[in-house]
């Protein structure tokens, strides 16, 4: 007879940042591309980290039920790392599932496997690139513009990020569509029939018909 303890996490446990020696005005922005990266845990997640370590001391096997994608694989690695601090002898297994239906959960339990290390490294590489590129260019352009233009010194940080520009592009594209939108009149056919209920002509129910052509922008049919 085995006892299974189930708990949960809140997404990524770890936070990655540069040491204090690489703070603003302490180094050139280009130095961030080779600077060491520290792994820390936010104050609001330290309780969760302690819980995982404590539960690990009572367990023999750790089954990771995180989302079945690259990000879930990376979070699995973070959970595994924390649990190893409490019990380095843990046997770690990964459950792969798409839904939480009983049959799917049972199938996942019967087909447990290892963590996909390639996915973990892919997410870690992307995360490091986001941090290094974002921090370096944010510092560079902020300090550059503050020196070049009056008034920029009061504007705070001028952020740059590899994910921010595509996202900003989506927002600007949507804004431009709204700004350039010109309303047009259109026509459509709407047909509703009322059909008497079987055996009772006093009761009717409406039948709504939809025109296959939808909207028509030319008034002449």
């Amino acid at each position: 007879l085995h006892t299974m303890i189930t708990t949960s996490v809140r997404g990524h446990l770890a936070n990655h940042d540069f040491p204090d020696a690489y703070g603003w005005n302490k180094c050139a922005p280009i130095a961030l591309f080779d600077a060491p990266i520290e792994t820390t845990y936010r104050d609001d997640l330290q309780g969760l980290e302690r819980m995982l370590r404590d539960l690990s001391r009572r367990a023999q096997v750790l089954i990771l039920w995180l989302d079945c994608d690259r990000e879930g694989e990376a979070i699995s690695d973070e959970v595994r790392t924390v649990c190893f601090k409490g019990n380095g002898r843990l046997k770690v297994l990964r459950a792969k599932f798409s839904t939480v239906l009983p049959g799917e959960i049972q199938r996942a339990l019967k087909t447990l496997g290892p963590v996909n290390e390639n996915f973990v490294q892919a997410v870690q590489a992307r995360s490091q690139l986001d941090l290094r590129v974002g921090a370096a260019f944010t510092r560079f352009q902020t300090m550059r513009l503050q020196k070049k233009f009056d008034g920029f010194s009061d504007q705070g940080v001028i952020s740059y990020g590899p994910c921010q520009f595509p996202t900003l592009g989506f927002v600007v594209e949507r804004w431009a569509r709204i700004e350039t939108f010109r309303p047009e009149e259109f026509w459509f056919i709407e047909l509703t029939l009322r059909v008497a209920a079987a055996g009772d002509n006093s009761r009717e129910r409406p039948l709504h018909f939809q025109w296959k052509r939808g909207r028509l922008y030319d008034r002449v049919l």
Side-chain angles (χ1 to χ4, degrees), residues 49-60 62 78-90:
E49 180 195 6
R50 288 194 299 271
M51 179 201 68
L52 291 174
R53 290 202 311 264
D54 293 341
L55 290 177
S56 298
R57 297 187 182 100
R58 301 159 48 189
Q60 295 176 317
L62 171 65
E78 294 178 5
V79 173
R80 176 179 59 180
T81 300
V82 171
C83 290
F84 274 156
K85 294 179 181 178
N87 183 356
R89 299 184 302 274
L90 273 176

Side-chain angles (χ1 to χ4, degrees), residues 47-194:
L48 184 58
E49 180 195 6
R50 288 194 299 271
M51 179 201 68
L52 291 174
R53 290 202 311 264
D54 293 341
L55 290 177
S56 298
R57 297 187 182 100
R58 301 159 48 189
Q60 295 176 317
V61 179
L62 171 65
I63 302 178
L64 299 162
W65 293 82
L66 284 303
D67 290 346
C68 293
D69 55 16
R70 292 191 177 190
E71 214 66 39
E73 216 71 15
I75 299 174
S76 295
D77 175 67
E78 294 178 5
V79 173
R80 176 179 59 180
T81 300
V82 171
C83 290
F84 274 156
K85 294 179 181 178
N87 183 356
R89 299 184 302 274
L90 273 176
K91 180 180 180 182
V92 180
L93 297 171
R94 180 77 164 96
K96 301 293 180 68
F97 62 100
S98 300
T99 68
V100 292
L101 296 174
E104 182 80 1
I105 298 301
Q106 293 172 8
R107 185 200 61 77
L109 275 173
K110 295 177 181 178
T111 57
L112 297 173
V115 174
N116 190 322
E117 304 296 343
N118 291 331
F119 282 3
V120 172
Q121 293 177 19
V123 174
Q124 290 175 347
R126 189 217 68 218
S127 178
Q128 282 202 24
L129 282 173
D130 287 348
L131 175 61
R132 294 184 188 278
V133 173
F137 277 90
T138 294
R139 295 187 190 185
F140 171 76
Q141 68 182 11
T142 298
M143 294 186 291
R144 175 71 173 172
L145 293 174
Q146 285 177 347
K147 295 177 182 178
K148 193 172 182 64
F149 299 101
D150 295 335
F152 263 89
S153 58
D154 301 327
Q155 299 299 318
V157 174
I158 304 168
S159 179
Y160 174 92
C163 296
Q164 292 177 14
F165 273 77
T167 304
L168 179 61
F170 296 143
V171 174
V172 172
E173 181 182 5
R174 180 59 180 165
W175 171 85
R177 288 184 179 181
I178 294 173
E179 288 295 309
T180 58
F181 175 75
R182 296 293 179 266
E184 297 182 46
E185 289 186 341
F186 63 88
W187 293 263
F188 61 91
I189 295 176
E190 184 179 66
L191 176 63
T192 301
L193 297 180
R194 294 190 173 275

Side-chain angles (χ1 to χ4, degrees), residues 13-39:
L13 295 175
N15 184 48
H16 305 287
D17 206 348
F18 301 107
D20 292 337
Y22 291 85
W24 283 74
N25 300 318
K26 294 183 179 180
C27 69
I30 196 171
L32 298 178
F33 288 102
D34 297 313
I37 295 177
E38 293 181 340
T39 300

